[in-house]
Amino acid sequence: MTSPPAPASSAPVPPPARLSTGARAAAAALLAGLLAGFALARSLTPSEAGLGTHQQLGLPPCTMRVLTGLPCPACGMTTSFAHFTRGQWGGSLSANSGGFVLALLCLGLIPVLAWAALTGRLAFPPPGRRDGVASRPEWWGVMGLSLVGAVTLIDWAFRLAE
């Protein structure tokens, strides 16, 4: 004999909790920072050398490059963003692939942060159980930054081998 199926849970799933005022302010500040960063990158002329665009901001040349003659992993990151804001994907990728990936992630964060700041809710609330690692926003942040780091280091290794 088979037992009857277990009854489905009739408890309604509660709506996602509203973000605190501080969390909404943090989302708004991060959003403003991303928009300002993209606007700043757009105001720069990408260096034809593929790196050095940051010097237009009055910053010195890369210390590692000055001391060793070798580019650092972040060399070309500003140039990559400057190309990205112009829709020049190839130039962005060739300047620094990690910069291209970081720009994509930052671009994707803009509507997420705007939603959180304006509505006080997460754009993608965790489904069901709230203790799953994949449902926590900080996990996605760690994964995104790990991806940027990995791509940047792989790109750097190829640039060093040239």
Side-chain angles (χ1 to χ4, degrees):
M1 265 188 135
T2 61
S3 58
S9 173
S10 61
V13 176
R18 293 194 60 84
L19 298 172
S20 68
T21 303
R24 290 179 79 174
L30 287 170
L31 174 63
L34 285 177
L35 293 173
F38 276 118
L40 179 62
R42 182 67 175 98
S43 74
L44 301 172
T45 302
S47 169
E48 292 182 19
L51 51 90
T53 301
H54 68 283
Q55 291 177 274
Q56 295 171 39
L57 299 169
L59 298 171
C62 171
T63 303
M64 182 171 163
R65 189 169 172 91
V66 169
L67 294 175
T68 67
L70 299 172
C72 78
C75 275
M77 194 76 72
T78 306
T79 306
S80 180
F81 263 78
H83 280 297
F84 187 90
T85 60
R86 289 167 172 73
Q88 300 166 346
W89 316 125
S92 180
L93 279 164
S94 94
N96 189 308
S97 299
F100 177 78
V101 173
L102 181 59
L104 277 177
L105 290 174
C106 289
L107 185 64
L109 274 177
I110 289 173
V112 172
L113 291 170
W115 179 263
L118 294 172
T119 68
R121 299 196 186 279
L122 295 176
F124 305 103
R129 293 176 43 159
R130 299 194 186 278
D131 61 351
V133 172
S135 66
R136 296 183 6 216
E138 62 271 18
W139 184 85
W140 290 103
V142 168
M143 292 305 294
L145 290 177
S146 297
L147 174 65
V148 169
V151 170
T152 299
L153 290 175
I154 291 167
D155 178 78
W156 184 50
F158 277 103
R159 286 188 282 136
L160 289 177
E162 291 177 341

